[in-house]
Amino acid sequence: MSAQSTELVALSKEALAQLRSMIGETDEFVFPNSGLRSVEISNRFYQTAKFAQLMLRLRQDPELRDSLSQGSLNPGNTLPGGQFQAADQHVQELTLRDTFLDPLLASIPTGIWAFSTKRLRAPYVFTLGRVVQDAPAVNLRMSDILAKDPADRGTVKPLDQTADPKAWGQAVDWWCMKTNAIFTRVADITEFTDHNDDGVYLPELHLMWLMDTLETFKRVAEVANSWHSAFGTTLTTYTALDLIAETWHGTNDMAKLVEPDTVSDALSRVRASIPVTLHPILLPAAEAAGRAPDLIFDGFFQSKQHESDTVEIVLPPSQKGSKPRREQWSKKSAIRQLVRARRNATHGFVGKPHSDPNIHVLTQHNGKLPSEFAMLPYLHLLDILCNPDELLNKAIPRSISKFLPRKQNRGT
């Protein structure tokens, strides 16, 4: 959509009228329940992010700081307007673009139900009032054929319920409201201060939070964008879960987010928090993610043959001359160890010591990760959106403690 700002409202209404008047092959209106939402990104968000960039430049460039203190400005080799550009690509994408909407628009991965005009700071979102299913085998590229998904990617389907006509726009409202709660916190410079040193501002940490917030939305959305490739989807899932685990939950073990109880609890919270009328739109991928742990465990073929809920692992002798060790791993432990082993194998399978249990858990599993595994980042993002303050109340102080150097114990 290209138009002057004063024309946008009228043109958007005209586009919506055209959408609603479209006639299909059966001589019926195709999108009678389509709608329109206007989304605005506050200029204050950009300004606070820019403040972090300004402070970082002054910290890294004493000459510029001295020049400013004297009332003059000598940009040197820096292009005009480019004085403060630390992580500028991330800052602009987070504070000017509607990247945060991408996981929402991909919430039903098998089709399209809404699209954004992608206008800077003020995008319009058109909801179709229905799901337009992806046509099978349309415009396949050679890479799509060569990288055909062994899991067939047919497991994420819209829920059986028919969404209320008003629910499509309300889903956009809900998502923006919850995202705004996150942006309000990460835009607040007073959140990122050294409470042990008179509240000194920590611009590096603030910028890292801005970057991680953007990356959370981007990585979850990229899972859907790479849906044509099982390999690409799986790799993106690892990176998304890594980020969510570390930044939002304070653990460097993303495999914990795949444990049956963790997944079940997250899905229960999401179901309870999201209005029921929005479930058909926001929950299809989350419901699929809820099935992931059981489907992953089904790959332990020996346990399945014995109809067992445990996995017996034979580990090498702990010392020379002793016998091999047998361990019974619970379903939770087996899934966690397997996912951790597969994630760590992004560095390669070779090079691990014989004593590494990850090697031996791989021999017990058939190697198939179900399509539902790739929906776990979306489920955990929904969980973040449902409880942003509860998570941030822990995550931000935890990140400050990790960021600051530990105090030296002083003798008396």
Side-chain angles (χ1 to χ4, degrees), residues 106-380:
S107 61
I108 304 177
T110 54
I112 299 172
W113 65 272
F115 62 90
S116 168
T117 61
K118 295 295 181 182
R119 184 169 180 264
L120 292 182
R121 288 189 52 205
Y124 286 88
V125 179
F126 288 86
T127 57
L128 303 180
R130 55 174 290 192
V131 179
V132 178
Q133 297 292 337
D134 290 339
V138 174
N139 297 326
L140 282 179
R141 298 170 296 176
M142 182 58 70
S143 60
D144 296 333
I145 299 172
L146 295 177
K148 176 165 173 52
D149 175 16
D152 292 328
R153 290 291 190 252
T155 50
V156 183
K157 299 180 176 64
L159 300 184
D160 293 335
Q161 303 97 311
T162 301
D164 183 287
K166 296 180 180 179
W168 304 97
Q170 291 171 350
V172 177
D173 297 340
W174 181 91
W175 189 276
C176 290
M177 178 182 68
K178 293 296 185 178
T179 302
N180 184 64
I182 294 176
F183 286 1
T184 299
R185 296 288 298 272
V186 300
D188 187 353
I189 63 175
T190 65
E191 293 272 6
F192 307 97
T193 57
D194 182 355
H195 300 299
N196 297 317
D197 190 13
D198 297 328
V200 173
Y201 176 52
L202 305 172
E204 297 91 346
L205 182 62
H206 189 188
L207 188 63
M208 286 189 281
W209 261 100
L210 293 170
M211 294 168 68
D212 274 1
T213 300
L214 171 67
E215 288 287 327
T216 299
F217 287 95
K218 286 190 67 173
R219 296 186 194 188
V220 174
E222 188 59 29
V223 172
N225 293 337
S226 59
W227 199 245
H228 65 279
S229 167
F231 183 71
T233 301
T234 301
L235 290 181
T236 307
T237 299
Y238 293 144
T239 66
L241 291 177
D242 274 336
L243 178 62
I244 292 172
E246 178 102 22
T247 299
W248 298 91
H249 295 283
T251 175
N252 59 7
D253 185 6
M254 52 76 69
K256 291 183 178 179
L257 299 185
V258 191
E259 293 177 357
D261 289 345
T262 302
V263 172
S264 177
D265 290 346
L267 184 56
S268 295
R269 287 192 295 267
V270 164
R271 283 173 177 158
S273 178
I274 296 177
V276 175
T277 54
L278 305 186
H279 283 195
I281 304 168
L282 298 178
L283 287 194
E287 295 284 358
R291 300 190 293 270
D294 286 340
L295 293 171
I296 292 173
F297 189 76
D298 285 345
F300 287 99
F301 51 89
Q302 289 184 221
S303 298
K304 190 172 183 179
Q305 290 170 1
H306 296 120
E307 298 182 350
S308 173
D309 283 336
T310 62
V311 176
E312 185 177 273
I313 299 288
V314 179
L315 299 174
S318 57
Q319 56 187 3
K320 189 175 181 179
S322 61
K323 295 181 179 181
R325 296 171 291 136
R326 290 180 176 270
E327 291 187 2
Q328 291 285 340
W329 286 359
S330 66
K331 181 178 181 179
K332 169 183 174 180
S333 296
I335 292 173
R336 185 177 66 245
Q337 293 281 11
L338 174 77
V339 171
R340 184 185 299 138
R342 291 291 300 272
R343 180 266 176 208
N344 290 344
T346 55
H347 305 287
F349 291 98
V350 176
K352 308 295 189 297
H354 187 227
S355 59
D356 190 340
N358 289 341
I359 297 176
H360 306 283
V361 73
L362 292 172
T363 66
Q364 293 268 10
H365 197 269
N366 62 19
K368 294 180 180 178
L369 291 177
S371 301
E372 288 82 354
F373 172 69
M375 293 294 97
L376 285 167
Y378 175 77
L379 168 61
H380 288 296

